[in-house]
Amino acid sequence: MIKRLPVLAAAVGLLLAPLAGTASAETTTPAKPAVGSAVTSGVWNTATYNPDGNTNTVEINQYVGSDGHHYVTGWLYAGSSNVAFYYDQSFDGGRTWNSFLDRRYVGPGGWYTLPAKYDDGGVWYRACSAAEWAGSPYANPQWGYNIACTNWY
């Protein structure tokens, strides 16, 4: 048995090696796609706000998927901590909005993404981010300070 311990330890080490370090690599902060990749095609729109000396950049990408339909994906670089990130959705060309779709709280540091949304006519989306701790961004929005939303597609 003692002669087999080094072999067993080596085998366990080989099995566990792929798991080492994955906890930090598989966080909710994916890298933003490289320019020219399939995800970076289409139309982009960007908005920024700065509630605490750190810039937060919210983006939306509208693109045609491999199935020929339009989609949007929201992106956020969170420079501040604990900021809300979500979609607004409109069915009337931006006159009224259903807010907070897929809302999550993120940051600081790194790029975050929201799930892709089907965007083939009759519905519009914009990506938004807000520092809810910085002066009531929904009741009293101070665009560029405590909230930012992209144009809609």
Side-chain angles (χ1 to χ4, degrees), residues 51-63:
D52 59 0
N54 297 300
T55 299
N56 300 285
T57 302
V58 62
E59 299 182 346
I60 195 165
N61 175 218
Q62 183 196 47
Y63 56 96

Side-chain angles (χ1 to χ4, degrees), residues 63-140:
Y63 56 96
V64 176
S66 59
D67 61 0
H69 294 283
H70 289 90
Y71 294 88
V72 293
T73 300
W75 292 87
L76 171 70
Y77 182 82
S80 304
S81 61
N82 198 32
V83 294
F85 179 36
Y86 55 92
Y87 287 118
D88 282 348
Q89 176 189 57
S90 176
F91 293 100
D92 59 12
R95 286 188 298 278
T96 60
W97 293 96
N98 299 321
S99 294
F100 313 124
L101 277 67
D102 300 313
R103 181 168 50 178
R104 53 194 287 205
Y105 294 88
V106 297
W111 283 97
Y112 297 83
T113 187
L114 292 172
K117 296 291 186 189
Y118 185 79
D119 190 35
D120 262 355
V123 62
W124 290 263
Y125 290 96
R126 65 183 181 186
C128 297
S129 181
E132 295 175 348
W133 43 264
S136 188
Y138 310 123
N140 182 25

Side-chain angles (χ1 to χ4, degrees), residues 29 76 152:
T29 56
L76 171 70
W152 57 83

Side-chain angles (χ1 to χ4, degrees), residues 1-79:
M1 180 68 173
I2 293 176
K3 291 181 183 178
R4 292 185 186 166
L5 282 177
V7 173
L8 180 61
V12 169
L14 287 174
L15 290 172
L16 295 178
L19 300 176
T22 58
S24 63
E26 294 178 356
T27 64
T28 58
T29 56
K32 191 171 178 196
V35 172
S37 72
V39 177
T40 62
S41 64
V43 181
W44 284 86
N45 186 267
T46 302
T48 61
Y49 70 109
N50 186 332
D52 59 0
N54 297 300
T55 299
N56 300 285
T57 302
V58 62
E59 299 182 346
I60 195 165
N61 175 218
Q62 183 196 47
Y63 56 96
V64 176
S66 59
D67 61 0
H69 294 283
H70 289 90
Y71 294 88
V72 293
T73 300
W75 292 87
L76 171 70
Y77 182 82

